[in-house]
Amino acid sequence: MVSSASDDRRPRIGITTYLEPTIWGVWERDASLLPRVYLDSVVAAGGVPLLLPPVGTDPTVLDLLDGLIIAGGCDVDPATYDAAPHPETVDTRSGRDEHEKILIRAALDRDLPLLAICRGLQMLNVTLGGTLQQHLPDVVAHDGHRPSPAIFGTTEVKVEPGTLTARLFGDRTSVRCYHHQALDVVAPTLAVTARAGDGTVEAAEVDGHDFAIGVQWHPEENPDDLRLFTALTEAALRRRTR
């Protein structure tokens, strides 16, 4: 995208959405939806949120954007990384998987600032050639990353020095989490930049990009900590002046 350095509009941040059966008023239909906390976080960080539904995918839509968020959600289909499904992998959306793979590749090709959240980090890893651990309690022997339905856990994260993650969070941070899957084999072009105490990958960055980061936690669930969203909008502004 070609923009003038004098362009002072707020950064346009695309966010991927869910396609789900939904009820509102007297209607019960499939709808493209996203929790409002994502929208509020982008606005609070100085951006304009634009929703990207998982239908009619066209990577050229990114030419209209200054940044991209791959949102959290359901499990990634194991077929995406050539694995058989675990008994606990029961909620997948193959159409959304393909939609987000296309957008991730296009964003990286354009060096568009990219923030991948929870499932988004998993999709980033799979898109770049990695695999997933389908049921984390099998590995870490606890349910702390997803304590119970609709209840977020709290995870203490240790950050690798000298990384973008460290510049944003220092050497440690406490985060909100809700997931039962996580990175297993890490893609060759991803650098792990933070882990939980049990070894779970909590953040990773794509080599060779100004701002392409994924986190396993849910930053949108902490309105008092906008560091990731602010960093995304700042990266979007930097890109616009290039």
Side-chain angles (χ1 to χ4, degrees):
M1 181 174 63
V2 177
S3 297
S4 167
S6 62
D7 185 358
D8 59 358
R9 62 173 170 79
R10 289 183 293 160
R12 298 168 179 163
I13 307 298
I15 315 174
T16 59
T17 67
Y18 311 33
L19 191 61
E20 300 288 339
T22 307
I23 298 173
W24 71 99
V26 298
W27 304 105
E28 183 173 355
R29 295 183 177 179
D30 285 355
S32 180
L33 58 88
L34 184 77
R36 179 176 172 169
V37 285
Y38 285 95
L39 311 179
D40 290 341
S41 296
V42 168
V43 171
V48 176
L50 300 176
L51 303 188
L52 303 175
V55 292
T57 308
D58 181 350
T60 63
V61 71
L62 299 188
D63 296 336
L64 305 174
L65 301 177
D66 301 303
L68 175 65
I69 294 173
I70 306 296
C74 60
D75 293 343
V76 177
D77 189 339
T80 307
Y81 48 98
D82 298 322
H86 186 283
E88 294 292 333
T89 303
V90 295
D91 185 23
T92 61
R93 304 286 188 279
S94 59
R96 181 180 175 186
D97 295 346
E98 185 59 27
H99 168 71
E100 293 183 343
K101 285 174 68 175
I102 290 170
L103 294 182
I104 287 168
R105 290 191 185 108
L108 294 176
D109 287 345
R110 290 162 169 76
D111 202 20
L112 187 74
L114 172 65
L115 171 58
I117 294 174
C118 195
R119 168 197 154 90
L121 170 59
Q122 296 166 14
M123 278 303 309
L124 178 61
N125 187 51
V126 168
T127 299
L128 295 176
T131 67
L132 302 181
Q133 167 53 242
Q134 292 188 51
H135 193 54
L136 197 51
D138 290 349
V139 178
V140 299
H142 66 80
D143 295 316
H145 295 280
R146 189 180 67 175
S148 59
I151 301 296
F152 285 85
T154 300
T155 301
E156 298 299 319
V157 172
K158 182 178 181 181
V159 182
E160 291 293 323
T163 63
L164 169 61
T165 312
R167 292 201 299 274
L168 294 175
F169 295 101
D171 61 353
R172 292 182 180 274
T173 189
S174 179
V175 299
R176 302 199 71 188
C177 60
Y178 189 83
H179 62 100
H180 80 110
Q181 299 194 335
L183 273 59
D184 186 12
V185 176
V186 178
T189 55
L190 269 185
V192 174
T193 58
R195 291 184 184 270
D198 59 18
T200 301
V201 175
E202 291 290 338
E205 300 168 19
V206 184
D207 296 336
H209 290 268
D210 177 60
F211 191 96
I213 182 172
V215 295
Q216 189 58 73
W217 67 84
H218 281 273
E220 78 282 0
E221 291 294 330
N222 184 357
D224 296 324
D225 186 353
L226 293 172
R227 285 176 287 186
L228 274 168
F229 295 99
T230 299
L232 175 65
T233 57
E234 290 174 347
L237 290 171
R238 286 196 303 273
R239 180 177 182 271
R240 189 187 298 171
T241 62
R242 292 203 299 267

